Amino acid sequence: MLAAMPPEPDAVVPGAAVPDRARSDACPGALRLHTADDGALARVRLPGGLLTDRQALALAGAAETLGDGRLEITSRGNVQLRGLASDCGGELAERLRAAGLLPSDTHERVRNIVASPGPGAGPAEGSADVRAWARALDAALCASPWATGLSGKFLFALDDGRGDVAALDADVTLIAGPDGTALLRLGRAATARPVPAGRAVAAALDAAREFLDAQRAAGLRAWHLRELPDLLPPGPVPLAPPAGTRPPLGALPGGGLHVGLRFGVAAAGQWRALVDAAEGELRLTPWRGAVLPGAPAGRLPALAAAGFRTAAGTAWDGASACTGLPGCAKSRSDVRADAARALDGSTARGAGPQPGAALLPVHWSGCERRCGHPAGRRVDVLATGEGYRVAVTGGPQGRDTAVEVTNELMAAAVAAARRTT
Ligand code: SF4
């Protein structure tokens, strides 16, 4: 039997019928390994994407000793290890516990917390410290027996007011306000509940429990708040759409560096270069990169030489791909290798974004499931077995162009489609 890639955070169309969630979600964890075609896969939750250098090195050691030597950052700022032997679970758990990365066996899959990654070593002036929120919420979740009833997909987002992680449409979003106050947004609601100073973490936790209690009382079973948008009162405060602005790649205005990983993957040696540059603390981002708040700008050339993306303005901007071969036997192609060749070729030819004309995002998929594709208008590149099908899709008009091309012509077709307005 073929094994697909592990479940990704799923997209549910607003207003669609509530999906059947009677079965438990199948999200992998650090203790519940997923069987993939390249071996077992472990997903290690990292609340807020926060890692010390010692913890990051422990993950690299586990990847090298127990897995295929690579580390993968997910769209929630967690880390996946692949190619693990099926019987390595005990040793992996011991390594994670020793590094402080497995504080609870019972709650490890519900520690889904993303947080604004910075910039800067501390909180922005006048705003809440979302890293402190992340640590406190993690501890409170792990100390709450009822929280094991949440699905492994239920997501908390802690936004420092910039609107970066608020744009992820998490189940419970805290948006920091002035003087320690916050707004609490439930799912995709257009309004929010005001939260008094000092109550932010408790309010987020209470909302998750309220969700479980209300759906139990109604005889419903959902994984996400957005699946039951009328279940809980959303609050009276109107919300502006979140900015969705991410920290720029390279040196950050408030200090520190932000680098991207190509398709979110780093070999252990590359990862060690990242840890070395970090000088203490790493914050993995939901955009498959890392903010290094203590790293000086002088580290950028070494990080670029190690294969990290250190500047925007290339064809790699807005590019993503599913796992493909060899990790997923459903795939008709090694889509990441094909995509990397196409993107490197386009970058070398200077076919990146031009001033005033951004490129459409692009996503490569090995089969029609299109795991991990971004929301919104994009170029969809689907392996066919004989080449690729390239289409512009996801806009208000749906799919509006499609061409079938050989591998050799795919890069040019993608570059042309990305310039579609
Ligand atoms: S989209 Fe990619 S990773 Fe997902 S099942 Fe298909 S081939 Fe596998």
Side-chain angles (χ1 to χ4, degrees):
M1 193 177 79
L2 299 182
M5 77 176 289
E8 291 261 338
D10 49 348
V12 175
V13 178
V18 178
D20 173 17
R21 302 306 199 195
R23 65 194 165 80
S24 165
D25 74 88
C27 268
L31 299 176
R32 184 161 95 182
L33 307 189
H34 169 82
T35 305
D37 295 295
D38 55 351
L41 176 153
R43 186 175 295 165
V44 183
R45 264 65 173 189
L46 304 173
L50 302 176
L51 275 176
T52 64
D53 50 3
R54 189 182 71 87
Q55 290 173 325
L57 290 174
L59 288 173
E64 268 181 335
T65 310
L66 307 175
D68 66 3
R70 296 182 303 159
L71 301 102
E72 189 170 14
I73 301 181
T74 73
S75 60
R76 292 172 165 202
N78 295 318
V79 161
Q80 287 184 167
L81 307 179
R82 305 188 67 108
L84 300 162
S86 56
D87 60 355
C88 80
E91 183 176 350
L92 175 63
E94 267 184 39
R95 284 171 175 257
L96 296 176
R97 267 187 215 108
L101 292 169
L102 188 55
S104 166
D105 286 8
T106 49
H107 289 65
E108 59 109 355
R109 291 188 325 117
V110 300
R111 302 170 64 229
N112 295 304
I113 304 170
V114 294
S116 298
E125 197 177 336
S127 96
D129 183 350
V130 292
R131 259 80 59 193
W133 279 0
R135 292 187 192 97
L137 180 56
D138 182 29
L141 263 178
C142 290
S144 302
W146 58 265
T148 57
L150 295 170
S151 93
K153 294 167 176 286
F154 192 92
L155 180 66
F156 296 88
L158 311 177
D159 193 296
D160 65 6
R162 292 184 176 88
D164 48 11
V165 296
L168 299 176
D169 286 344
D171 293 286
V172 174
T173 301
L174 276 176
I175 304 167
D179 305 325
T181 61
L183 291 174
L184 182 97
R185 182 189 188 208
L186 300 175
R188 292 174 169 150
T191 58
R193 299 175 179 180
V195 180
R199 279 277 308 154
V201 167
L205 198 66
D206 288 350
R209 183 162 197 175
E210 211 184 323
F211 169 62
L212 286 183
D213 290 346
Q215 63 170 311
R216 198 174 295 123
L220 298 167
R221 177 93 180 122
W223 294 339
H224 294 294
L225 263 158
R226 62 174 180 262
E227 293 166 5
L228 301 170
D230 303 322
L231 189 68
L232 301 181
V237 182
L239 281 174
T245 311
R246 306 170 182 183
L249 290 176
L252 293 169
L257 305 177
H258 180 206
V259 298
L261 280 65
R262 289 176 162 80
F263 302 132
V265 177
Q270 224 186 336
W271 186 266
R272 288 199 174 90
L274 187 70
V275 178
D276 186 43
E279 300 188 9
E281 181 190 354
L282 299 89
R283 300 173 192 163
L284 307 189
T285 74
W287 312 292
R288 296 187 164 93
V291 164
L292 313 177
R299 292 284 197 163
L300 275 179
L303 288 167
F308 292 99
R309 299 185 58 225
T310 57
T314 77
W316 281 87
D317 295 358
S320 56
C322 80
T323 299
L325 290 175
C328 178
K330 279 187 186 298
S331 184
R332 304 182 185 107
S333 176
D334 184 348
V335 286
R336 285 187 174 171
D338 290 346
R341 265 193 301 278
L343 293 166
D344 283 339
S346 292
T347 297
R349 287 193 304 278
Q354 302 301 312
L359 298 178
L360 282 179
V362 58
H363 183 77
W364 276 262
S365 303
C367 79
E368 284 74 8
R369 193 171 166 203
R370 296 181 170 85
C371 297
H373 72 74
R377 191 162 162 82
R378 63 189 179 276
V379 175
D380 177 74
V381 192
L382 176 68
T384 61
E386 276 116 37
Y388 283 89
R389 183 179 187 282
V390 180
V392 177
T393 188
Q397 325 78 331
R399 184 166 294 133
D400 53 10
T401 64
V403 290
E404 298 217 358
V405 290
T406 60
N407 280 0
E408 292 68 35
L409 296 178
M410 179 263 284
V414 169
R418 296 188 76 188
R419 288 193 291 271
T420 307
T421 53

